[in-house]
Amino acid sequence: MKVKYLITCSLLALLTACSSETSKTSEWENFEDAGTFFVYRRQSQIGEESYNVTTKNDTIIVTSIQGENERGRISGVESKLYLTTDLEPISYFSRRISNNDTTNIIKMEINGDKVSIWEKHFDVVTTNKKDAFFTVNSNIPAGIEMMLYHYYFKQNGTTALPTLPRGEVSLTHKGEDIVQIDGKDVALDRYVVEGVNWGGRTIWLDKSKNLVAVVKANTQIRELIKKGYEEAKPYFIRGNVEEQMAQLSEYTKSLKGEESQITALVGGDVVDGLKDATQTNMTIIIENGRITSIGSSPDITIPDNAKVIDVSGKTLMPGMWDMHAHSNQVQWAPAYLAGGVTTIRDNGNELEFATAFRDAIAKDGATGPDIVLAGMTDGPGPKGNGIIRARSVEEAKEVVKLYHDNGYEQIKIYTSIEPEILKVLSDEAHKVGMTVTGHVPALVNSTNKAVESGMDMLSHSNRILAVLFPDQKVSDLGAFYMAKNDITDAQINEAIAFYLKHGTVLDPTLGLGVIRTLPKGDLMETLEPDAGRMAYELFESKRFRSGASEKRAELSKQNIIKSAEVIGKFFKAGIPVVAGTDNFAPGFGHFLELETYQKYGGLTPFEAIQTATIIPATVMGKGDETGTLEIGKEADIAILDKNPLTDIANLRSVSAVMTNGNYYESEPLWEAADFKPSRD
């Protein structure tokens, strides 16, 4: 028996090289591990994830339960992954748990040489099984993500790993970081991961390749940190900012052409933003980023040393503003420019990232739109948004000082601010020349009282239009109060008088309301024709929305149409209305926002354009610098293939943009932001 055993072992060693290979795979045999990741949104803890890894009968079973209380919305995700002891996937499912019901997010099964993927909003797809792959969705739980990286490194860890239902994942090692944990130095490896979420994520692994921390974005920043490493959260946040700025630097190197002190845009038609008219065959001379001459091409003299760009057949208009952005990652920079947006108001973000992003563009010449900042501020309790809270008079004063010291121009009010604190925030902000914007807080519960307490600007039509019912609480109006009530001229005129008296600026985000009218099962393309260009990692959260029932979708449509009609009347009466997207569709949402003003609000194309040009520039105190094409102003210019005054939908024909003295063509910007031509 002993001789037979030795011969068998020798044959195995010869055939499989296997004494070493066995040791590599044996680490997953009889394996047991469990842990917890804390989940943060804008640095405030909103939940946690518990995971367990165990090996039974040569199968690794990974389970994950994640629970969140995100601004009062309680939800959970249950996930289970089965792997061989070689870490090859066998099956996987992830489902959302809510109110004793479950909604599948993704499911994968292998049957022989076939693999079937069920993905939310899609039919089951069965394909040939790849030699190496992993199933990935953009909200992959941390416990499952950890196994992805173990498998990646088992597959050599140097080339991209194919993923299902689409794409591939790659890791780039950025170096070793030393963090302090319980007073001791702990060495972690920093990587940037591409292929899970749009634009990548920054992760840290310990020396056993176990996941320790993730900082990711898409359209909001989240941090997932393994229990025991929480004290290193500021380090992880700072590291992600460093990697994001490095990515922005790469965009700048690849996209920024040779700079010229003087540029001449020759032969285009000009919509200057001052009047509802088109000037044909014009030339604009730009020197050091400012417009020095505008005139008829036959009559204007082009300096000998100018860089000449032929824009004949195109229409030049002021670069646009998005007044409701949450630009939590640098991929927004090329995406915004590609759509003709040259300035954004970031309406709530993590301070470390927002200030670094703004300064990289303003001070270091990075590629991107100019950024003005509104500082997210909320009150106490689990419904609060972010880590910066004003729960007392003293905290309110500290918040205003913090944002003012960091160059913010506004305080952004969120829903948990208490009435007396709103007044303190407004007073303190006004003392230092800042203005106050945001939501009507739930405890204030009155649009009129919010304005009377010092709010200069209001966001979202459902709160803005509660002014029509000044004697009712906002919370009593219901979700579709515009559709369910007859609105009289007297109500509208009273509301107009109130807003004009207080000089209130309105940021209604109507395009977002239109998107919410999508019936269940309809693709965003029915409303947003360019949605197919989106980065594939955005499919789950942006292109494919859960949708509403047929009845709710119709009610939503009636509600947004009536809302837009009243907003249009406010605009005609002289109340400043500004275009903002709230980031529902990167790059393209701005077009839908302006189309909605024309289609349902009764604005002319020129008036709709003003909501994204001179009006936001003026209300933000920059009307003397930008917002129109005039001599002496910054050369913020969108260049279109078609004239938007003939049809506002022609805004979608943006083919180039000029900002901060640099000329960019749109298609390379779209490509850089991973927005490619339509795909299946």
Side-chain angles (χ1 to χ4, degrees):
M1 287 293 293
K2 186 175 181 181
V3 172
K4 183 178 180 182
Y5 173 80
L6 290 171
I7 292 172
T8 302
C9 239
S10 298
L11 284 171
L12 283 172
L14 285 169
L15 291 171
T16 64
C18 151
S19 52
S20 62
E21 287 298 317
T22 300
S23 67
K24 288 182 180 178
T25 58
S26 64
E27 65 179 297
W28 297 102
E29 295 173 1
N30 303 314
F31 187 84
E32 295 285 342
D33 182 35
T36 298
F37 281 86
F38 295 119
V39 181
Y40 302 84
R41 182 182 189 268
R42 294 188 178 128
Q43 304 179 24
S44 176
Q45 187 179 347
I46 61 169
E48 62 181 61
E49 174 191 335
S50 297
Y51 74 89
N52 182 275
V53 184
T54 185
T55 303
K56 293 182 179 179
N57 301 323
D58 298 325
T59 299
I60 303 170
I61 304 169
V62 187
T63 59
S64 165
I65 299 291
Q66 187 179 87
E68 293 185 1
N69 183 348
E70 204 270 294
R71 291 175 291 169
R73 296 193 292 265
I74 298 173
S75 64
V77 175
E78 176 190 19
S79 305
K80 187 168 285 190
L81 170 68
Y82 292 85
L83 304 163
T84 70
T85 51
D86 286 330
L87 302 181
E88 294 180 355
I90 299 171
S91 67
Y92 173 58
F93 77 83
S94 185
R95 61 185 180 179
R96 184 169 294 280
I97 305 168
S98 178
N99 298 327
N100 298 317
D101 192 10
T102 60
T103 302
N104 285 318
I105 299 171
I106 195 164
K107 181 178 179 181
M108 181 277 291
E109 293 179 343
I110 293 176
N111 186 6
D113 61 353
K114 300 290 184 182
V115 57
S116 296
I117 294 283
W118 187 98
E119 187 181 12
K120 186 172 64 171
H121 309 305
F122 291 88
D123 294 329
V124 176
V125 175
T126 300
T127 62
N128 291 327
K129 178 178 172 292
K130 299 177 181 179
D131 292 336
F133 78 94
F134 210 90
T135 304
V136 170
N137 57 309
S138 65
N139 291 315
I140 184 171
I144 308 298
E145 185 174 348
M146 180 169 64
M147 302 309 294
L148 163 65
Y149 301 138
H150 279 298
Y151 187 53
Y152 178 88
F153 287 110
K154 192 175 187 303
Q155 302 297 319
N156 295 322
T158 56
T159 57
L161 174 69
T163 55
L164 291 177
R166 59 184 70 83
E168 61 184 22
V169 163
S170 63
L171 277 70
T172 302
H173 187 237
K174 293 297 184 176
E176 182 183 82
D177 294 329
I178 306 298
V179 300
Q180 286 278 315
I181 303 295
D182 292 331
K184 297 179 181 178
D185 289 345
V186 177
L188 301 174
D189 286 304
R190 186 198 299 186
Y191 293 84
V192 170
V193 182
E194 295 184 354
V196 179
N197 61 281
W198 181 45
R201 57 180 65 198
T202 310
I203 69 166
W204 284 262
L205 305 180
D206 66 19
K207 294 305 177 180
S208 296
K209 297 292 190 288
N210 291 311
L211 184 64
V212 167
V214 179
V215 184
K216 59 179 182 174
N218 266 19
T219 54
Q220 62 179 340
I221 296 178
R222 290 196 176 209
E223 299 89 11
L224 290 85
I225 301 174
K226 195 171 185 178
K227 186 177 181 179
Y229 291 86
E230 308 95 285
E231 66 181 289
K233 182 175 71 168
Y235 192 97
F236 299 139
I237 290 166
R238 185 167 62 251
N240 179 65
V241 170
E242 291 171 359
E243 298 305 334
Q244 285 282 298
M245 294 308 111
Q247 178 66 74
L248 183 60
S249 178
E250 289 299 314
Y251 284 148
T252 303
K253 289 177 185 176
S254 64
L255 294 168
K256 209 174 196 180
E258 182 180 347
E259 294 189 40
S260 176
Q261 184 178 1
I262 302 176
T263 302
L265 302 177
V266 179
D269 295 341
V270 170
V271 173
D272 60 18
L274 293 166
K275 51 190 175 299
D276 190 356
T278 303
Q279 303 172 70
T280 60
N281 190 17
M282 301 287 285
T283 289
I284 298 179
I285 307 295
I286 299 144
E287 186 169 354
N288 296 323
R290 290 190 178 269
I291 297 171
T292 57
S293 299
I294 304 177
S296 174
S297 294
D299 300 331
I300 203 164
T301 300
I302 299 174
D304 292 337
N305 59 339
K307 177 181 178 181
V308 177
I309 300 174
D310 183 2
V311 291
S312 56
K314 298 182 183 294
T315 300
L316 282 59
M317 63 170 280
M320 291 179 284
W321 287 59
D322 183 346
M323 282 287 282
H324 202 119
H326 296 284
S327 51
N328 300 306
Q329 59 193 94
V330 298
Q331 284 67 38
W332 289 99
Y336 268 125
L337 292 184
V341 174
T342 56
T343 310
I344 62 172
R345 176 181 66 169
D346 190 297
N347 224 19
N349 204 332
E350 292 193 2
L351 185 146
E352 296 87 348
F353 177 80
T355 53
F357 196 9
R358 175 200 62 194
D359 293 346
I361 294 167
K363 298 178 181 179
D364 302 331
T367 292
D370 292 333
I371 300 174
V372 296
L373 297 176
M376 176 70 76
T377 309
D378 211 351
K383 291 189 177 182
N385 190 348
I387 198 172
I388 298 177
R389 306 291 180 98
R391 294 161 290 202
S392 66
V393 170
E394 189 57 38
E395 279 192 344
K397 293 179 178 180
E398 291 172 357
V399 165
V400 172
K401 184 177 187 308
L402 172 70
Y403 282 129
H404 184 255
D405 288 349
N406 280 277
Y408 280 65
E409 302 187 29
Q410 292 188 301
I411 300 296
K412 161 72 180 284
I413 301 296
Y414 213 68
T415 56
S416 295
I417 292 289
E418 296 171 338
E420 60 274 17
I421 301 302
L422 174 60
K423 186 70 167 63
V424 175
L425 286 167
S426 298
D427 289 346
E428 292 298 311
H430 294 156
K431 286 178 185 177
V432 294
M434 300 175 74
T435 51
V436 180
T437 189
H439 295 209
V440 174
L443 292 175
V444 175
N445 214 7
S446 163
T447 298
N448 297 63
K449 288 180 181 178
V451 172
E452 289 166 348
S453 296
M455 292 192 69
D456 305 285
M457 306 184 188
L458 296 176
S459 297
H460 307 304
S461 61
N462 62 333
R463 294 295 179 259
I464 289 168
L465 293 171
V467 72
L468 297 167
F469 303 90
D471 298 327
Q472 295 188 47
K473 294 179 179 179
V474 174
S475 58
D476 292 339
L477 290 174
F480 305 109
Y481 67 87
M482 292 298 290
K484 293 180 176 181
N485 286 282
D486 292 327
I487 309 299
T488 67
D489 288 342
Q491 284 176 284
I492 294 172
N493 291 335
E494 184 177 345
I496 288 171
F498 177 81
Y499 279 144
L500 287 175
K501 175 184 175 182
H502 291 278
T504 312
V505 178
L506 308 181
D507 163 29
T509 61
L510 290 175
L512 180 61
V514 171
I515 285 292
R516 288 173 174 165
T517 69
L518 270 176
K520 189 173 294 185
D522 281 14
L523 303 184
M524 190 190 280
E525 280 87 335
T526 60
L527 295 172
E528 175 54 61
D530 288 318
R533 295 173 58 107
M534 286 186 188
Y536 69 80
E537 299 95 338
L538 284 166
F539 277 26
E540 297 163 46
S541 61
K542 294 297 180 184
R543 185 181 177 200
F544 296 98
R545 301 176 69 89
S546 57
S549 66
E550 186 176 342
K551 180 179 180 181
R552 189 177 180 88
E554 181 56 34
L555 194 58
S556 296
K557 185 175 181 179
Q558 294 174 21
N559 201 73
I560 199 64
I561 289 173
K562 286 187 69 175
S563 297
E565 288 173 351
V566 175
I567 294 293
K569 291 178 180 179
F570 285 176
F571 176 92
K572 300 282 189 180
I575 296 170
V577 175
V578 295
T581 64
D582 209 4
N583 288 15
F584 69 85
F588 304 112
H590 209 58
F591 305 144
L592 183 59
E593 176 81 4
L594 298 189
E595 288 170 1
T596 302
Y597 290 133
Q598 180 191 15
K599 185 175 182 180
Y600 298 125
L603 274 63
T604 66
F606 176 68
E607 290 171 331
I609 287 170
Q610 286 184 308
T611 69
T613 52
I614 189 57
I615 295 175
T618 300
V619 301
M620 294 307 297
K622 300 181 186 300
D624 292 336
E625 294 291 309
T626 187
T628 57
L629 302 184
E630 296 182 76
I631 293 173
K633 285 193 173 184
E634 295 173 359
D636 293 331
I637 303 172
I639 301 168
L640 293 74
D641 289 335
K642 300 178 182 178
N643 191 331
L645 293 186
T646 60
D647 186 347
I648 197 68
N650 287 340
L651 285 174
R652 296 179 180 276
S653 71
V654 173
S655 59
V657 65
M658 192 138 194
T659 186
N660 297 321
N662 298 291
Y663 175 87
Y664 302 93
E665 293 187 354
S666 289
E667 201 54 42
L669 292 165
W670 287 129
E671 290 286 329
D674 203 17
F675 283 69
K676 307 208 170 45
S678 298
R679 70 198 79 178
D680 294 330

